[in-house]
Amino acid sequence: MRHWFVTIHRTPKRSAVSDDFARQILAAHTAYFKRLGRRGRCLVAGPFAEQNVDELGAGFYVLACAAEEEARWLAEHDPLVEQGLYDYRLREWIKVVPE
């Protein structure tokens, strides 16, 4: 199994939608990653503690997938990404600890 470090970043579209709409999508995003966690696909996820206004909500997660295509598919189906409120950057990550 390979590992993928994914960061998510706010897009300009986020500023154009209501906070109520964004909260609904954020709830779907959280539920999505909890499901991936139960399936063993998401190992860790969460927002960065220190953020500026332009990044508000930025965070990261680590996926366990056999191939980059699967990791990209999972990242692209994050509700925040599907709605265009956030974009992602994906990099392969070599997990050393825990073994």
Side-chain angles (χ1 to χ4, degrees):
M1 190 65 62
R2 294 161 66 187
H3 296 91
W4 307 91
F5 186 89
V6 185
T7 56
I8 61 170
H9 311 272
R10 184 180 175 133
T11 67
K13 183 177 178 182
R14 169 56 188 95
S15 298
V17 301
S18 72
D19 288 342
D20 286 340
F21 178 76
R23 277 192 284 279
Q24 289 176 330
I25 303 306
L26 179 60
H29 159 86
T30 301
Y32 177 72
F33 281 97
K34 286 183 178 185
R35 282 192 308 276
L36 291 179
R38 287 191 295 274
R39 291 180 24 214
R41 287 291 181 243
C42 183
L43 304 181
V44 63
F48 295 117
E50 189 174 309
Q51 301 182 41
N52 64 44
V53 172
D54 293 331
E55 298 175 320
L56 200 57
F60 83 95
Y61 51 92
V62 176
L63 297 172
C65 301
E68 181 176 345
E69 294 78 17
E70 180 184 4
R72 276 197 193 283
W73 190 92
L74 293 173
E76 288 169 3
H77 286 82
D78 171 355
L80 287 173
V81 174
E82 284 183 322
Q83 291 294 324
L85 304 182
Y86 285 74
D87 199 1
Y88 72 92
R89 293 185 191 120
L90 179 135
R91 297 180 69 174
E92 188 168 9
W93 178 65
I94 299 171
K95 182 178 148 210
V96 176
V97 176
E99 292 183 45

